[in-house]
Amino acid sequence: MVTADTPSALPDSADDAHLKEHTLECRELIKGHFLHAFRDTVRLPDGREATREYVRHPGAVMIIAQLDDGRLVLERQYRYPVQAVMVEFPAGKLDAGEGSLACAQRELLEETGYSASRWARAGVMHPVISYSTEFIDIWFARELSAGERQLDAGEFLDVFTASPAELLQWCGDGRVTDGKTLTGALWLQNVLSGAWVLDWQDSAGADTVR
């Protein structure tokens, strides 16, 4: 019986054999400009077969950029699938062969006009594990310099700033519902409290390549 006082630890991944599914067949469903969808047949741990539909994604980055006065660089962008304007941290998809840091630097400049002298990779999140291979690398950026935005054709978004306290309030009262931004707010809260420590590097430092 598990109680509140029971010590907890993540089991070793070597103990996961009873949970794993094995691919028997992979069938492509659609390859569009953005979505690449598949339906696989898998063997379940108990020997039965099932189907899994999912989207392959090249991965993305999200940037938690903070000005010298502590305010955060945020965006408001209309997201067609949910038919709503969302408050988000700057983010974007990795280009083929592009490193994670290079993507973060490019996306921050293109979407907001800011460049950063200092960067720290916080970690990675998987936003939709039930139907996508997507991962999002979380980057912090500071020592910002303002410049001109370089938005893609057909891209429309507003850039604004807010204090960490304001962002956390919006997360708490439901005005921010974007999953990656909620995760970013968790990271930010723990970094600001000193609970989680970042390893900062110069903008020309070693990249993260996938």
Side-chain angles (χ1 to χ4, degrees):
M1 177 179 178
V2 177
T3 69
D5 298 324
T6 303
S8 61
L10 280 175
D12 190 277
S13 59
D15 300 329
D16 292 345
H18 65 294
L19 300 173
K20 291 183 178 178
E21 301 173 357
H22 299 277
T23 305
L24 301 176
E25 181 186 16
C26 179
R27 180 179 301 175
E28 183 180 74
L29 298 178
I30 182 174
K31 187 172 185 179
H33 177 69
F34 177 69
L35 294 181
H36 196 186
F38 295 81
R39 179 186 293 126
D40 287 5
T41 302
V42 302
R43 178 175 288 116
L44 301 174
D46 64 2
R48 292 183 296 174
E49 294 184 6
T51 58
R52 297 287 183 257
E53 294 180 352
Y54 62 99
V55 174
R56 288 185 187 169
H57 191 285
V61 299
M62 176 179 68
I63 306 100
I64 301 171
Q66 201 163 17
L67 297 168
D68 291 344
D69 64 2
R71 295 181 70 80
L72 304 163
V73 179
L74 297 168
E75 300 174 353
R76 295 178 69 251
Q77 185 173 8
Y78 184 76
R79 294 299 191 175
Y80 183 82
V82 295
Q83 301 281 293
V85 173
M86 308 293 281
V87 173
E88 309 174 44
F89 282 118
K93 181 172 63 68
L94 285 162
D95 288 339
E98 185 177 35
S100 178
L101 177 56
C103 180
Q105 293 169 334
R106 174 179 58 78
E107 288 291 347
L108 182 64
L109 177 62
E110 289 179 355
E111 294 189 354
T112 72
Y114 282 104
S115 299
S117 296
R118 301 282 286 167
W119 291 84
R121 183 179 180 273
V124 63
M125 65 170 291
H126 293 89
V128 282
I129 55 175
S130 59
Y131 63 86
S132 177
T133 65
E134 181 180 7
F135 66 87
I136 301 176
D137 276 336
I138 304 168
W139 285 92
F140 278 69
R142 67 185 187 190
E143 297 182 16
L144 305 183
S145 300
E148 293 294 325
R149 294 197 294 172
Q150 302 171 17
L151 295 175
D152 294 333
E155 188 174 28
F156 303 91
L157 56 87
D158 290 340
V159 177
F160 70 105
T161 63
S163 69
E166 288 172 324
L167 175 62
L168 292 172
Q169 177 62 45
W170 299 337
C171 292
D173 65 22
R175 280 181 283 181
V176 172
T177 60
D178 170 55
K180 67 180 182 299
T181 302
L182 291 170
T183 300
L186 171 67
W187 270 98
L188 176 67
Q189 189 175 40
N190 280 279
V191 167
L192 292 178
S193 73
W196 295 354
V197 179
L198 298 175
D199 182 15
W200 289 92
Q201 60 182 280
D202 293 335
S203 59
D207 200 355
T208 301
V209 180
R210 291 181 180 269

